[in-house]
């Protein structure tokens, strides 16, 4: 007997060129082949698509240098921003770009 199940995943994307972040929701269908293997099909807005971690472009600038993160929940937590003259903005931006 083959097992099949579905899940819902949210992925967060970050453009490393313009620092735009966005999230997308995917429906994931899993099916076992009965021999220990598993097949996975991803759907976005009702259409089959590639895996969420490959082949994404930024909707703002069209850049292809995009990082993807699997988000365990959709709830967003906003942190307080430091004052612009403190220099912390530059440090955090460089860390996000892995430049420091």
């Amino acid at each position: 007997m083959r097992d099949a199940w579905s899940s819902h995943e949210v992925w967060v994307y970050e453009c490393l060129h313009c620092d735009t972040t966005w999230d997308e929701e995917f429906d994931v269908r899993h099916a076992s082949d009965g021999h220990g293997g598993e097949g996975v099909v991803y759907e976005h807005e009702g259409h089959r698509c590639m895996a969420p971690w490959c082949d994404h472009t930024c909707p703002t600038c069209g850049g292809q240098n995009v990082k993807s993160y699997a988000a365990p929940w959709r709830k967003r937590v906003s942190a307080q921003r430091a004052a612009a003259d403190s220099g912390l903005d530059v440090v955090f931006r460089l860390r996000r770009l892995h430049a420091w």
Side-chain angles (χ1 to χ4, degrees), residues 81-90:
R81 297 190 67 92
D85 59 349
S86 69
L88 285 177
D89 289 337
V90 175

Side-chain angles (χ1 to χ4, degrees), residues 10-12 23 70-77:
V10 177
W11 286 74
V12 177
D23 59 328
W73 55 82
R74 189 173 165 85
K75 183 178 179 183
R76 293 184 183 194
V77 178

Side-chain angles (χ1 to χ4, degrees), residues 12-96:
V12 177
Y13 299 96
E14 178 183 12
C15 177
L16 299 178
H17 179 71
C18 67
D19 289 334
T20 301
T21 58
W22 71 97
D23 59 328
E24 295 180 5
E25 298 179 10
F26 294 89
D27 292 317
V28 186
R29 285 194 256 156
H30 305 266
S32 66
D33 63 359
H35 301 286
E38 181 181 326
V40 180
V41 175
Y42 290 93
E43 290 184 356
H44 178 64
E45 298 177 349
H47 301 286
R48 283 188 178 183
C49 63
M50 297 288 291
W53 55 86
C54 61
D55 197 30
H56 268 82
T57 57
C58 177
T60 304
C61 70
Q64 294 183 341
N65 195 3
V66 175
K67 277 193 171 185
S68 58
Y69 306 97
W73 55 82
R74 189 173 165 85
K75 183 178 179 183
R76 293 184 183 194
V77 178
S78 60
Q80 292 181 353
R81 297 190 67 92
D85 59 349
S86 69
L88 285 177
D89 289 337
V90 175
V91 171
F92 288 128
R93 185 174 175 151
L94 288 174
R95 284 188 181 172
R96 241 189 345 258

